[in-house]
Amino acid sequence: MFTQYQEHIEQLRATDKNFSRLCDKHSALDAEVEALVQRKSPSLQVNIENLKKQKLAVKEAIYQMLQQAQPMLALKQQKNYVDQAKLAQMSGVRLSA
């Protein structure tokens, strides 16, 4: 899920309990859907569809949180780079671009 945001996801999971909870819920719903699909029972189709809808709603919430956090995470990365550049400058080390 959202492989292009993997680094952001890891950062948010470490700092935002609600985001982490949503990711766990998405994984649990995914596993539940997969288990029902494996049973190959037409009678479970309604249950599968309901779980998929729940999973999609959670995924949309995760995506929205990623979009809202992206500028903040970019600033943190920029600040980290600037801090590294200052540290390198003070120690005489040259950073590659």
Side-chain angles (χ1 to χ4, degrees):
M1 171 179 69
F2 303 124
T3 55
Q4 69 274 25
Y5 294 110
Q6 197 59 43
E7 187 176 321
H8 294 325
I9 290 171
E10 291 171 12
Q11 288 176 342
L12 282 173
R13 283 193 77 135
T15 59
D16 188 328
K17 290 179 183 179
N18 186 42
F19 184 84
S20 185
R21 182 188 59 77
L22 284 173
C23 289
D24 292 342
K25 184 174 182 176
H26 184 272
S27 294
L29 287 167
D30 190 45
E32 198 172 344
V33 166
E34 192 59 38
L36 290 177
V37 168
Q38 294 299 321
R39 289 174 57 185
K40 298 180 182 176
S41 173
S43 65
L44 295 175
Q45 195 60 36
V46 172
N47 292 351
I48 292 170
E49 293 303 318
N50 287 334
L51 289 172
K52 284 183 176 183
K53 287 177 185 177
Q54 289 177 34
K55 185 178 150 191
L56 180 59
V58 170
K59 187 173 183 178
E60 288 172 349
I62 290 170
Y63 183 73
Q64 185 177 19
M65 290 179 79
L66 279 169
Q67 291 300 304
Q68 290 172 349
Q70 199 167 11
M72 177 194 64
L73 293 172
L75 283 174
K76 283 184 180 179
Q77 287 176 338
Q78 183 180 11
K79 182 184 180 309
N80 187 34
Y81 177 77
V82 169
D83 290 345
Q84 289 176 0
K86 285 180 183 176
L87 181 62
Q89 184 180 19
M90 290 183 339
S91 63
V93 175
R94 187 175 179 152
L95 293 177
S96 59

